[in-house]
Amino acid sequence: MPDSNFAERSEEQDVEYIFGIVGIPVTEIAIAAQQLGIKYIGMRNEQAACYAASAIGYLTSRPGVCLVVSGPGLIHALGGMANANMNCWPLLVIGGSSERNQETMGAFQEFPQVEACRLYTKFSARPSSIEAIPFVIEKAVRSSIYGRPGACYVDIPADFVNLQVNVNSIKYMERCMSPPISMAETSAVCTAASVIRNAKQPLLIIGKGAAYAHAEESIKKLVEQYKLPFLPTPMGKGVVPDNHPYCVGAARSRALQFADVIVLFGARLNWILHFGLPPRYQPDVKFIQVDICAEELGNNVKPAVTLLGNIHAVTKQLLEELDKTPWQYPPESKWWKTLREKMKSNEAASKELASKKSLPMNYYTVFYHVQEQLPRDCFVVSEGANTMDIGRTVLQNYLPRHRLDAGTFGTMGVGLGFAIAAAVVAKDRSPGQWIICVEGDSAFGFSGMEVETICRYNLPIILLVVNNNGIYQGFDTDTWKEMLKFQDATAVVPPMCLLPNSHYEQVMTAFGGKGYFVQTPEELQKSLRQSLADTTKPSLINIMIEPQATRKAQDFHWLTRSNM
Ligand code: ADP
Ligand code: MG
């Protein structure tokens, strides 16, 4: 049976999870997959399903599958494919498509799917026959994890699904091996070690590439053995714990601005790192780039040294080289002093904001209370503007690959899909782990119906909706009423406003989970305690904050956008 053929090929390639929405012509594939022991998670929108499948790739190093129907189903998944590709995460999308003998006739949900996916993937193909399916699936899985990881697409015409074939005519493919480990050129490693040794103000930047590469052990050793300051990128958080004494996250701008040597471990010099250019960096800063993708090396700056290879392997090479001559970056240096002072003053400023007793609460008050109760081993998923940016500075990660957020593409709507993926992985591999999903009220709206998915599978997720009645900022109820007194809402409601005082927690109670509407620190503490204590149900805590609340004053006037 070909429908089980797709499923078998996926299972053969170590695919553990399929996320999707069934319909013509893929329903049988989902059923066959489940019969083979692949877990199937039915979602409410293909976009969220695709975000979930992509997070599986990041968390497990093997691609998650997103299974979608033809035409619109596949189109909805494009957002997830683009996001996976931008994040360099492996993903396999399998899309049903219209019957081959009706092509160009205006068939049901007909669309040029293979072509459409090319822009969003590393590999996009339709098997030429049923016999070719194992070959194409293996190639798609391999392409998704070899080299720079990314999204792949395999197209399944409807007439394949119910065709009968002789199983003996199918040539099975062996499981594609994990990617070969590549190492950097020895001479480049020597040069890099000497540049690091001669640095006056060194900085290591740990990106999500380092997390994906499972380089935590070697990077931690590098940090500790040589006493080097490090800065994680948003999803690089946790590769070395955020509370490590050498983490300079709280002095981010200062560290970037004055470092004279920066080693990039799996982090691109894109908008998140201000392109590596002045005024956020010294004009003559020496970059050492470690990346698996040769095309990445030299983007936006001329690096002092490039180390092409797997981050874990290359870091071990660096350690070996540095070990040859006893050396350590002096802990009493002026650089450390500058960084420590800045961290202290930044932390004090956040703490002061957090201690404000006025109501409604501000972001800092909310996040400090959340941080107090956050289990050490939990996953933190986050999206939203201020919610994500401020949350990132307060909420700590202690484990690698335990933070998932809007990422390189700055995508809103990823949160619930990511949380669902993290939850199914956690349930299988480390039961008892919580997924804390911190959402802005606007971000929550993008995929809000996935709360039903969370309740259907009873996943260990606590959703925190940090509610300011809007996108960036909103209005309080009185202003809202005043505004609508004489005029039509479409004429006067500012585009960033959402309905004030929305009871998002009722979305959770509608499906049998627990919902809390909180307005004070005490209510927040209590609802969190109760949510964490009850492992039998997911919760949603709707946290009302000051609609005009913002982040603390920044040193640079241009620091107004995300990640700055
Ligand atoms: P961040 O957003 O954390 O700064 P980026 O997504 O910009 O991270 O960068 C991640 C980088 O990591 C990409 O350039 C990617 O090619 C690289 N990468 C991914 N996997 C590996 C690996 N196993 N070894 C080395 N580099 C990797
Ligand atoms: Mg908001």
Side-chain angles (χ1 to χ4, degrees):
M1 282 283 291
D3 46 321
S4 63
N5 186 10
F6 284 111
E8 275 171 27
R9 299 305 69 80
S10 302
E11 196 244 10
E12 189 173 275
Q13 294 302 333
D14 254 11
V15 166
E16 282 180 87
Y17 306 100
I18 298 182
F19 298 81
I21 301 184
V22 295
I24 298 169
V26 301
T27 309
E28 291 85 347
I29 297 173
I31 295 170
Q34 251 182 344
Q35 285 166 353
L36 285 165
I38 298 180
K39 298 200 166 166
Y40 178 80
I41 298 97
M43 306 276 289
R44 301 304 301 266
N45 182 299
E46 289 91 352
Q47 207 177 67
C50 205
Y51 293 141
S54 72
I56 292 290
Y58 179 60
L59 298 175
T60 70
S61 310
R62 299 293 289 192
V65 167
C66 174
L67 180 69
V68 296
V69 301
S70 43
L74 189 267
I75 300 286
H76 291 167
L78 292 179
M81 275 190 239
N83 190 67
N85 234 22
M86 294 288 175
N87 275 348
C88 312
W89 289 358
L91 165 72
L92 173 57
V93 176
I94 297 182
S97 59
S98 42
E99 307 229 352
R100 284 171 304 166
N101 62 8
Q102 295 173 356
E103 228 154 54
T104 73
M105 294 174 69
F108 174 64
Q109 299 185 332
E110 181 179 346
F111 195 73
Q113 299 185 181
V114 175
E115 290 92 314
C117 289
R118 250 175 221 139
L119 207 52
Y120 305 86
T121 54
K122 296 174 73 181
F123 172 78
S124 175
R126 168 191 286 184
S128 57
S129 66
I130 294 207
E131 287 75 14
I133 293 170
F135 176 83
V136 176
I137 294 277
E138 190 275 343
K139 182 157 174 165
V141 168
R142 185 159 39 84
S143 303
S144 77
I145 53 178
Y146 279 34
R148 171 181 269 174
C152 292
Y153 175 67
V154 177
D155 193 73
I156 304 169
D159 51 300
F160 272 18
V161 178
N162 291 312
L163 258 185
Q164 297 290 328
V165 283
N166 180 352
V167 283
N168 297 326
S169 69
I170 294 184
K171 186 174 160 276
Y172 294 94
M173 297 294 290
E174 275 189 28
R175 173 187 186 274
C176 117
M177 305 290 283
S178 297
I181 304 289
S182 48
M183 301 223 276
E185 227 181 305
T186 319
S187 62
V189 176
C190 288
T191 316
S194 116
V195 172
I196 294 171
R197 262 204 213 99
N198 290 313
K200 299 217 161 41
Q201 320 213 117
L203 178 67
L204 311 181
I205 296 184
I206 306 175
K208 64 178 172 297
Y212 181 77
H214 288 242
E216 48 268 20
E217 183 202 309
S218 53
I219 291 186
K220 185 157 181 262
K221 201 162 165 202
L222 185 73
V223 165
E224 291 182 343
Q225 204 146 306
Y226 304 107
K227 306 206 182 310
L228 294 164
F230 74 92
L231 178 73
T233 66
M235 281 195 257
K237 271 159 71 76
V239 168
V240 183
D242 280 339
N243 65 342
H244 194 284
Y246 299 155
C247 176
V248 296
R252 185 180 191 274
S253 298
R254 183 71 48 104
L256 295 180
Q257 206 192 357
F258 295 108
D260 67 343
V261 169
I262 295 181
V263 193
L264 292 162
F265 291 100
R268 285 169 283 181
L269 291 175
N270 56 17
W271 65 279
I272 292 186
L273 288 174
H274 323 283
F275 314 105
L277 298 173
R280 304 304 306 278
Y281 295 83
Q282 291 299 307
D284 55 355
V285 54
K286 292 191 170 95
F287 283 104
I288 301 174
Q289 273 183 294
V290 187
D291 206 290
I292 202 152
C293 174
E295 289 89 334
E296 187 56 42
L297 306 173
N299 272 344
N300 299 334
V301 300
K302 190 174 180 317
V305 191
T306 57
L307 300 172
L308 177 63
N310 173 285
I311 296 173
H312 185 44
V314 172
T315 309
K316 283 199 281 192
Q317 285 181 287
L318 262 178
L319 282 168
E320 220 167 88
E321 186 57 37
L322 284 164
D323 267 350
K324 287 182 184 162
T325 331
W327 171 80
Q328 189 175 75
Y329 183 68
E332 300 308 322
S333 63
K334 226 176 118 205
W335 181 226
W336 262 124
K337 203 165 158 255
T338 314
L339 293 171
R340 292 227 164 90
E341 272 170 17
K342 189 66 194 163
M343 288 198 288
K344 230 173 155 182
S345 69
N346 277 349
E347 279 160 2
S350 312
K351 276 208 182 105
E352 198 198 316
L353 278 166
S355 66
K356 288 227 157 86
K357 296 275 179 274
S358 56
L359 291 177
M361 292 179 277
N362 66 45
Y363 285 104
Y364 292 88
T365 312
V366 168
F367 291 129
Y368 270 85
H369 286 297
V370 174
Q371 171 59 27
E372 269 173 9
Q373 292 195 47
L374 211 60
R376 281 217 156 207
D377 64 347
C378 75
F379 284 86
V380 178
V381 178
S382 189
E383 60 175 336
N386 282 324
T387 298
M388 181 174 76
D389 294 345
I390 301 171
R392 186 179 52 240
T393 65
V394 182
L395 304 177
Q396 306 267 297
N397 281 92
Y398 306 98
L399 297 170
R401 298 169 295 285
H402 276 60
R403 180 183 169 88
L404 298 157
D405 66 23
T408 307
F409 212 21
T411 311
M412 293 299 130
V414 291
L416 276 71
F418 284 178
I420 289 168
V424 295
V425 171
K427 258 186 140 177
D428 282 352
R429 296 174 194 207
S430 44
Q433 237 178 337
W434 276 110
I435 289 73
I436 312 292
C437 184
V438 188
E439 301 271 307
D441 52 333
S442 160
F444 173 69
F446 285 81
S447 304
M449 197 45 73
E450 298 303 339
V451 170
E452 189 275 327
T453 312
I454 292 173
C455 289
R456 187 166 7 108
Y457 297 110
N458 197 20
L459 298 172
I461 296 173
I462 297 173
L463 287 165
L464 306 177
V465 176
V466 182
N467 191 349
N468 66 349
N469 304 336
I471 304 167
Y472 303 121
Q473 293 187 342
F475 282 148
D476 56 66
T477 321
D478 292 342
T479 315
W480 180 267
K481 279 191 191 140
E482 200 57 36
M483 196 167 51
L484 296 187
K485 241 183 199 161
F486 307 108
Q487 292 188 74
D488 178 65
T490 53
V492 288
V493 173
M496 58 285 274
C497 279
L498 297 170
L499 191 70
N501 250 23
S502 290
H503 281 263
Y504 294 112
E505 75 284 0
Q506 293 179 5
V507 179
M508 183 58 93
T509 52
F511 303 111
K514 286 171 303 174
Y516 301 89
F517 180 77
V518 309
Q519 292 174 295
T520 65
E522 295 71 31
E523 288 169 356
L524 173 58
Q525 286 169 316
K526 193 169 161 211
S527 59
L528 250 179
R529 218 176 304 120
Q530 289 180 354
S531 301
L532 287 164
D534 184 355
T535 50
T536 65
K537 271 184 184 172
S539 319
L540 190 155
I541 306 177
N542 184 12
I543 307 163
M544 301 310 295
I545 63 160
E546 163 59 47
Q548 304 280 318
T550 50
R551 59 194 309 195
K552 70 180 158 60
Q554 301 290 319
D555 280 352
F556 296 100
H557 63 84
W558 63 86
L559 282 188
T560 50
R561 260 310 302 139
S562 201
N563 289 299
M564 305 265 173

